[in-house]
Amino acid sequence: MHLFPAAPSDLPAVADMVNSAYRGDSSRQGWTTEADYLGGQRTDAQTLAHDLAANPEAILLTLRDEAAGPLLGCAWLEPATDDAWYLGMLTVRPDLQDRKLGRTMLDAAENHAKELGAIRITMTVVQIRDTLIAWYERRGYVSTGETRPFPYGDQRFGEPMRDDLNFIVLEKAI
């Protein structure tokens, strides 16, 4: 497995993979779909480029079997506090989610953050994603008890099909 920071030329492929894993019919190939309660796109190459430029310490990690091989997964990391890094957009191609690449990507992201000085990882997950929350809990994440509002009206987060969405905050010591 090869883990690299995304190059600008990777951003269209990353956006395509993230959208296919979370939204629309293609996302139903895997178990991480949000298609039943969020429509629209999850991200695009321009948004990723903007977010990376706006957060110069952020890293978008990519996972491949071979250095020049196809994209298999990605994860977003950025400093949240002096000792915690935020992990977001952990994604594996929906047709490969049975290869345990999510675990590989999560471990790699945690190790990368630890190398950069993190002692904790935080993340947000839509509260109705029970299966995903349980998956993170099996990997040592715990709910902090904090919730954050879902950004209704911000198309960058999709088109909600429900009016009861919010995020819970999960955290893990690394």
Side-chain angles (χ1 to χ4, degrees):
M1 293 289 162
H2 296 272
L3 190 71
F4 298 105
S9 60
D10 292 326
L11 299 183
V14 169
D16 288 346
M17 181 187 62
V18 169
N19 288 323
S20 73
Y22 288 99
R23 307 287 165 78
D25 288 335
S26 63
S27 69
R28 297 183 194 283
Q29 293 178 50
W31 63 274
T32 61
T33 184
E34 297 174 337
D36 293 330
Y37 54 90
L38 285 169
Q41 69 179 21
R42 170 69 172 76
T43 194
D44 57 48
Q46 295 78 19
T47 299
L48 293 172
H50 175 268
D51 290 348
L52 286 166
N55 300 294
E57 294 184 67
I59 302 162
L60 179 57
L61 297 173
T62 61
L63 180 69
R64 302 168 193 275
D65 278 329
E66 301 172 10
L71 184 64
L72 306 177
C74 70
W76 176 273
L77 282 170
E78 71 178 90
T81 65
D82 289 341
D83 65 352
W85 279 63
Y86 176 80
L87 171 69
M89 210 167 56
L90 179 72
T91 308
V92 171
R93 276 182 26 194
D95 61 325
L96 300 177
Q97 288 181 5
D98 60 350
R99 285 183 51 189
K100 300 186 180 184
L101 294 173
R103 292 178 190 187
T104 300
M105 190 77 240
L106 181 62
D107 289 344
E110 290 171 350
N111 289 333
H112 195 78
K114 191 172 187 175
E115 289 171 7
L116 295 170
I119 62 171
R120 295 179 296 125
I121 295 282
T122 64
M123 69 175 65
T124 57
V125 180
V126 176
Q127 93 284 4
I128 63 173
R129 300 198 64 194
D130 297 332
T131 304
L132 182 61
I133 293 166
W135 186 85
Y136 281 117
E137 288 174 339
R138 289 191 301 275
R139 278 139 198 89
Y141 286 82
V142 296
S143 174
T144 65
E146 180 184 355
T147 61
R148 296 183 184 162
F150 187 87
Y152 286 94
D154 187 340
Q155 293 300 309
R156 293 177 303 153
F157 292 89
E159 301 165 3
M161 298 174 210
R162 299 172 56 149
D163 63 2
D164 63 342
L165 301 177
N166 62 52
F167 295 104
I168 64 166
V169 178
L170 300 176
E171 182 176 273
K172 177 182 178 180
I174 55 172

